[in-house]
Amino acid sequence: MGKRASAELGTGRADEGLGGNGRDEAIYRNLFVAIVENHLAPGTKLPEDTLAETYGVSRTSIRKVLQRLAHERLVDVRLNRGASVAQPSVGEARDIFSARRIIECGAIPQVVAKATPAKLDVLRELVGREHAAQDRGDWRESIYLSGAFHVELIRLSGNETLTDFLTQLVSRSSLVIATYGSPQTASCRHSEHDDVIEIIAGGDVDGATRWMDRHLRDVERTVVLVEEEPAPADLKKILEEVAQRRPKLR
Amino acid sequence: MGKRASAELGTGRADEGLGGNGRDEAIYRNLFVAIVENHLAPGTKLPEDTLAETYGVSRTSIRKVLQRLAHERLVDVRLNRGASVAQPSVGEARDIFSARRIIECGAIPQVVAKATPAKLDVLRELVGREHAAQDRGDWRESIYLSGAFHVELIRLSGNETLTDFLTQLVSRSSLVIATYGSPQTASCRHSEHDDVIEIIAGGDVDGATRWMDRHLRDVERTVVLVEEEPAPADLKKILEEVAQRRPKLR
DNA sequence: ACTTCACACATTGGATACACTTTTATATCA
DNA sequence: TGATATAAAAGTGTATCCAATGTGTGAAGT
């Protein structure tokens, strides 16, 4: 496991101001990483008492953490049915990548304006760790660091609100990849991220924007979003139509 | 009070999938509107007991609602100190408007692509209600509807994720206006919103984008973001500096 | 043998109770 | 009078308890 001192996915401004003590935070973090790194597959049930005794706390604290994850759309919580790891629909997946293009491309001008050599070095170090993880075949760490790179890049814009949004989108992207993508093709191509750092260092706003747009479309292409959704809401209508066509079954 | 059947601020996709009972939802809604319409001033304490007996439920439910509002950054929750209506800092305010420009301008192409006469009529109806509220001097309703217009406009893009983000940004904008703006100048100029509908109806992507950018800068200009933050951390330093200049007061 | 109903089990939702922290009020002393 | 320490209060954090809901199994009836 690599160190994650400089850049932690999901440890943004979102922590402050919402009253979490250290223990809750640790539980949240643990679950967050487990979901984002795909140790817990989408759809996995998350029973409250199991988690409660796992972490040695009462269900009250667990419920708080689950609600937070639910609000970040990493888990689904249905009434009287408990929580499970979210399974983004195809439409949701498209929306997520579309939103990422808008936000990440839109923030590029400010990123370029505020980039300093020191900050770019932090990014380079992150890419270095990403490559190392990729070379050793640790695809979980690789995906995690790839996401962290995107978040840290936008963090350079200085806009914490936007960075929080992107953190959410990037985590959900991991779920999309886990649901619709093959693990191999999922992570960004080797040495992709290097390029954009130099483009930004050169102050080329348009170039960086174009790079980001193309890059995100490439990532989206690695997941298969062709199949249509089951559309559970239409189930009743469909069955009624079928009943119409075959009035008396027996 | 005007009807709000067609467009409700804060009633987006965010409700589904996070296990909200009807009663909780009503409480959330009530508090949400109270904050966004500025019936509760920024900084107002929100004690759990008070809210609990107000709505006739236990603190458990109240805490759930407060956590949700905290995650939407409409309330601040500090450890062992309870919740209070959020007071966006100047930096936060800038971030919010900057993020709005990126998201709302960035979504315009898809909005124009997906706009239909029927959907534009819904927007026109919303603007009509906004004007009515403005004419009768109901500035609370006016601000609310102005925000709803921006949200519904972006909803036309079909991107629910992005619409949820914008809903949050628009609600927080209301807090910014309540904190830093004068109520009169806060709402958009009369008949501003009419224009963009026609630009979109004409299919003019660039025009609509430019309109949105200018419009959001205008709105931002109606609030005063010049004063530096009180920075309570610097209080001690300030006092020490004063002490330096006037060593022995008595 | 298959369907249906009913009961038992498991799990979640909500309320109460208790422990701890922060804040305020009061009293004592300089 | 003013400041500080102590004690009471108000309020929050967590655990436990009970009720409500969903799920699964088994018995009874056709």
Side-chain angles (χ1 to χ4, degrees):
Chain A
M1 282 288 174
K3 289 181 294 184
R4 284 174 199 143
S6 56
E8 298 271 355
L9 250 184
T11 305
R13 172 103 180 46
D15 306 338
E16 311 165 25
L18 67 100
N21 83 21
R23 187 168 51 177
D24 290 357
E25 195 60 27
I27 297 172
Y28 163 78
R29 189 103 220 100
N30 202 2
L31 270 175
F32 177 89
V33 173
I35 292 173
V36 165
E37 286 196 343
N38 199 19
H39 291 102
L40 297 171
T44 305
K45 279 273 302 172
L46 301 171
E48 296 178 357
D49 3 356
T50 305
L51 297 175
E53 57 188 60
T54 298
Y55 295 108
V57 297
S58 87
R59 279 175 47 215
T60 311
S61 312
I62 296 297
R63 292 177 61 169
K64 182 159 52 165
V65 171
L66 287 178
Q67 274 192 242
R68 180 170 166 191
L69 289 166
H71 204 179
E72 293 168 358
R73 302 220 167 263
L74 293 179
V75 313
D76 263 342
V77 176
R78 283 166 328 188
L79 189 61
N80 284 323
R81 287 200 197 174
S84 48
V85 179
Q87 293 177 297
S89 70
V90 173
E92 236 176 296
R94 285 192 213 282
D95 284 357
I96 288 169
F97 281 109
S98 174
R100 282 189 63 171
R101 276 198 300 276
I102 289 173
I103 288 178
E104 299 193 58
C105 293
I108 286 287
Q110 296 179 33
V111 169
V112 172
K114 294 213 175 184
T116 64
K119 300 208 179 138
L120 290 178
D121 274 339
V122 173
L123 286 185
R124 289 195 184 91
E125 192 256 342
L126 210 53
V127 174
R129 288 208 276 143
E130 187 191 344
H131 288 175
Q134 224 165 334
D135 290 341
R136 98 177 80 96
D138 187 349
W139 57 274
R140 282 201 236 256
E141 179 88 353
S142 171
I143 289 181
Y144 186 99
L145 288 170
S146 170
F149 174 81
H150 280 260
V151 171
E152 292 308 312
L153 180 65
I154 298 307
R155 194 186 300 282
L156 293 193
S157 73
N159 191 325
E160 292 180 83
T161 297
L162 211 60
T163 307
D164 284 347
F165 284 158
L166 185 63
T167 301
Q168 208 179 114
L169 291 174
V170 167
S171 340
R172 292 172 71 187
S173 297
S174 297
L175 277 184
V176 171
I177 291 171
T179 307
Y180 299 103
S182 53
Q184 322 295 1
T185 60
S187 80
C188 303
R189 240 192 339 275
H190 202 293
S191 77
E192 264 280 284
H193 286 163
D194 291 297
D195 303 340
V196 74
I197 297 181
E198 303 316 318
I199 299 176
I200 290 172
D204 181 4
V205 172
D206 285 346
T209 305
R210 270 183 282 115
W211 180 95
M212 182 62 83
D213 186 74
R214 190 182 51 76
H215 177 66
L216 286 175
R217 287 183 197 278
D218 283 347
V219 173
E220 186 174 3
R221 217 170 285 126
T222 65
V223 296
V224 189
L225 296 181
V226 286
E227 59 205 276
E228 251 330 293
E229 307 171 56
D234 295 10
L235 176 61
K236 192 183 169 194
K237 204 183 72 178
I238 292 174
L239 295 184
E240 283 171 354
E241 286 173 1
V242 173
Q244 284 271 330
R245 299 192 48 174
R246 306 189 134 230
K248 298 234 171 195
L249 187 57
R250 58 176 174 183
Chain B
M1 281 286 176
K3 287 182 292 182
R4 281 172 200 144
S6 58
E8 297 270 355
L9 247 185
T11 304
R13 173 101 181 47
D15 307 336
E16 311 166 24
L18 67 99
N21 184 343
R23 185 169 53 178
D24 291 356
E25 196 59 28
I27 298 173
Y28 164 78
R29 188 105 219 98
N30 201 4
L31 269 175
F32 177 89
V33 173
I35 292 173
V36 165
E37 286 196 343
N38 200 18
H39 292 101
L40 297 171
T44 305
K45 279 274 300 171
L46 301 171
E48 297 178 357
D49 292 329
T50 307
L51 297 176
E53 57 187 60
T54 297
Y55 295 108
V57 296
S58 84
R59 281 176 46 215
T60 311
S61 313
I62 297 298
R63 286 171 69 92
K64 184 158 50 163
V65 171
L66 287 178
Q67 276 189 240
R68 179 170 168 193
L69 289 166
H71 200 216
E72 293 168 358
R73 304 228 167 255
L74 293 179
V75 313
D76 264 343
V77 176
R78 283 163 335 192
L79 188 62
N80 284 321
R81 285 193 195 182
S84 49
V85 180
Q87 292 177 297
S89 69
V90 173
E92 237 175 297
R94 285 192 212 282
D95 284 358
I96 288 169
F97 281 110
S98 174
R100 282 189 64 171
R101 275 198 301 275
I102 289 173
I103 287 178
E104 299 193 56
C105 293
I108 286 288
Q110 296 179 32
V111 170
V112 172
K114 295 213 173 184
T116 65
K119 300 208 180 136
L120 289 178
D121 274 339
V122 174
L123 285 186
R124 289 196 184 90
E125 191 256 340
L126 209 53
V127 174
R129 289 207 276 142
E130 185 191 345
H131 288 174
Q134 225 165 335
D135 290 340
R136 99 177 79 96
D138 187 348
W139 57 275
R140 283 200 237 255
E141 180 87 352
S142 171
I143 289 181
Y144 185 99
L145 288 171
S146 169
F149 174 82
H150 281 260
V151 171
E152 293 308 313
L153 182 64
I154 298 307
R155 193 185 301 282
L156 293 193
S157 73
N159 192 325
E160 293 180 84
T161 298
L162 211 61
T163 308
D164 283 348
F165 283 158
L166 185 64
T167 302
Q168 208 180 112
L169 290 173
V170 167
S171 342
R172 291 171 73 187
S173 297
S174 297
L175 277 184
V176 170
I177 291 170
T179 309
Y180 299 104
S182 54
Q184 321 296 0
T185 60
S187 80
C188 303
R189 241 194 334 277
H190 204 291
S191 76
E192 264 279 285
H193 286 164
D194 291 297
D195 303 340
V196 74
I197 296 181
E198 303 316 319
I199 299 177
I200 290 173
D204 181 3
V205 172
D206 286 347
T209 305
R210 271 183 279 115
W211 181 94
M212 183 61 84
D213 186 76
R214 191 182 51 74
H215 177 66
L216 286 174
R217 287 183 197 279
D218 283 347
V219 174
E220 186 173 3
R221 215 171 286 127
T222 64
V223 296
V224 190
L225 295 180
V226 287
E227 62 204 271
E228 253 328 295
E229 304 171 58
D234 295 11
L235 176 62
K236 192 182 167 195
K237 205 183 71 177
I238 292 173
L239 295 184
E240 282 171 354
E241 285 174 1
V242 173
Q244 284 270 329
R245 300 191 47 173
R246 306 189 133 230
K248 297 232 172 199
L249 186 57
R250 57 178 176 182

